Amino acid sequence: MLNRRILRIKAFKAIYAYAENPSMSLKDVEAQLEISCQSTRTLYLFMLSVVKPLVEEARGRIEAAKSKFNPTEEEKNPNMKFVNNSIYRILTQDPDFTKIISKSKLSWDQFDVFLRKLYDSIRSKEYFAEYMASPESSLQQDAELFVKIFEEEFMDSADLDGILEDMSLFWIDDLGYALTYCCRTMEDLAAGRAWSLPPLYQSEMAPKAGQESDKAFVSGVVRTAYVNFEKFSQYIAEAVPKWDGERLVTIDKVLVLCGLAEAKCFSEIPVKVTINEYVDISKFYSTPKSRSFVNGLLDTIIKKKIEEGEIVKTGKGLV
């Protein structure tokens, strides 16, 4: 499930936590990393589980309208297409899915206000009107509807952001990635594949001979950055002698530390790949000037350490 980009982000956050709290042991940092990785999959499960309460919100409104003293013809004979959709049926009848949701204690029960707003938003959209008006009724169409919902209804929602932040600090910044996997799940269900819990790391999803474990990758970056924190910090200080170490942005320093750790720990990863990845991460987590700062520092220090033999790259085109 987790790719190298998001694993680099999680490694960066784990080392940043250590930079802010130097009393953390390596065991503490690794434990936080593990929780952070697991939490992304838990968030995926939580967002996927919204299908059931959302459909039940729609069903509840239909039943309430029918019970009115003088219902309209439309209320007497409602369009049941959404409440009878096959995605709802598949997920609520899947023993593995229902078991893991129950075991994880994931529930939308206390968020009824959010669910009402969500359903109102969906009902106001053209894509939903087109779905309800279409005479077609198929698993494919139902899956496409939920892809639209996951793509359009959750990002940039202040209400949802508040819910997720209260539930887990580790869910910050992971929503987009979790929603992407919800959409992939819809595509799998539409293709007739049964739901299954995605492996935590992408290297476990389609293992190849000689392929390095993604878990080993992120653990290696964090462990190397932690063990060499002071030494790598000294490399940074030597590379920018005119800068007061206290003035260095901690985020930028940690990004460089993680880049150095990756370059040192993984001889088969090209230097350009490592530098570009941490530069890209800096665009989201640091200042506008950080990309050039991180890029320049990593390039300078890695080249120097390769010349000194401390960092070794094997194979062509890796430097």
Side-chain angles (χ1 to χ4, degrees), residues 278-303:
Y278 289 99
V279 169
D280 281 347
I281 294 171
S282 75
K283 296 175 186 177
F284 296 96
Y285 291 94
S286 197
T287 66
K289 295 181 180 180
S290 292
R291 69 181 71 179
S292 58
F293 184 76
V294 171
N295 182 78
L297 267 182
L298 279 174
D299 185 59
T300 298
I301 297 172
I302 291 175
K303 281 180 179 177

Side-chain angles (χ1 to χ4, degrees), residues 139-181:
L139 173 58
Q140 178 70 39
Q141 191 185 56
D142 293 340
E144 289 173 356
L145 172 68
F146 277 102
V147 167
K148 282 285 188 182
I149 292 171
F150 286 122
E151 287 179 340
E152 299 191 15
E153 301 297 334
F154 298 107
M155 293 301 294
D156 303 317
S157 167
D159 290 337
L160 180 60
D161 288 346
I163 290 171
L164 300 184
E165 187 173 348
D166 287 344
M167 292 182 70
S168 173
L169 291 175
F170 291 102
W171 284 356
I172 297 173
D173 302 330
D174 281 1
L175 179 59
Y177 199 78
L179 292 173
T180 295
Y181 265 84

Side-chain angles (χ1 to χ4, degrees), residues 1 38-46 48 91 94-101 103-104 106 181 185 188-189 193-201 204-205:
M1 179 173 186
Q38 292 285 351
S39 70
T40 305
R41 187 166 60 179
T42 305
L43 176 57
Y44 152 78
L45 289 168
F46 181 63
L48 189 60
L91 290 179
D94 187 301
D96 293 332
F97 182 72
T98 54
K99 181 178 180 180
I100 198 167
I101 292 298
K103 185 177 180 180
S104 302
L106 296 171
Y181 265 84
T185 295
D188 286 342
L189 296 179
R193 292 186 283 271
W195 180 84
S196 62
L197 182 67
L200 187 56
Y201 301 98
E204 299 171 347
M205 298 178 77

Side-chain angles (χ1 to χ4, degrees), residues 85-143:
N85 78 82
S86 47
I87 297 298
Y88 169 84
R89 184 177 66 255
I90 289 171
L91 290 179
T92 56
Q93 293 179 2
D94 187 301
D96 293 332
F97 182 72
T98 54
K99 181 178 180 180
I100 198 167
I101 292 298
S102 175
K103 185 177 180 180
S104 302
K105 297 182 180 178
L106 296 171
S107 172
W108 289 87
D109 288 350
Q110 61 182 310
F111 307 120
D112 53 328
V113 174
F114 174 78
L115 290 167
R116 287 197 294 271
K117 288 183 179 180
L118 173 61
Y119 184 55
D120 285 338
S121 176
I122 293 169
R123 289 180 66 199
S124 70
K125 301 298 172 59
E126 185 176 345
Y127 71 79
F128 187 72
E130 291 175 353
Y131 166 83
M132 295 296 281
S134 171
E136 178 188 349
S137 182
S138 67
L139 173 58
Q140 178 70 39
Q141 191 185 56
D142 293 340

Side-chain angles (χ1 to χ4, degrees), residues 145-297:
L145 172 68
F146 277 102
V147 167
K148 282 285 188 182
I149 292 171
F150 286 122
E151 287 179 340
E152 299 191 15
E153 301 297 334
F154 298 107
M155 293 301 294
D156 303 317
S157 167
D159 290 337
L160 180 60
D161 288 346
I163 290 171
L164 300 184
E165 187 173 348
D166 287 344
M167 292 182 70
S168 173
L169 291 175
F170 291 102
W171 284 356
I172 297 173
D173 302 330
D174 281 1
L175 179 59
Y177 199 78
L179 292 173
T180 295
Y181 265 84
C182 288
C183 292
R184 292 185 185 181
T185 295
M186 293 302 110
E187 293 164 3
D188 286 342
L189 296 179
R193 292 186 283 271
W195 180 84
S196 62
L197 182 67
L200 187 56
Y201 301 98
Q202 279 201 356
S203 60
E204 299 171 347
M205 298 178 77
K208 300 175 183 177
Q211 181 184 32
E212 187 164 21
S213 159
D214 287 334
K215 182 176 183 179
F217 167 76
V218 71
S219 295
V221 171
V222 166
R223 204 167 295 158
T224 304
Y226 182 94
V227 171
N228 294 280
F229 192 91
E230 294 303 324
K231 182 167 70 171
F232 288 173
S233 296
Q234 184 60 36
Y235 293 166
I236 295 171
E238 292 169 357
V240 284
K242 295 181 180 180
W243 280 76
D244 179 353
E246 296 298 320
R247 291 178 58 211
L248 286 174
V249 178
T250 303
I251 289 175
D252 294 348
K253 178 180 176 180
V254 171
L255 285 167
V256 174
L257 283 165
C258 289
L260 292 174
E262 181 176 316
K264 181 177 178 62
C265 194
F266 298 97
S267 61
E268 76 288 356
I269 298 178
V271 171
K272 286 184 178 180
V273 170
T274 296
I275 293 176
N276 288 341
E277 285 291 326
Y278 289 99
V279 169
D280 281 347
I281 294 171
S282 75
K283 296 175 186 177
F284 296 96
Y285 291 94
S286 197
T287 66
K289 295 181 180 180
S290 292
R291 69 181 71 179
S292 58
F293 184 76
V294 171
N295 182 78
L297 267 182

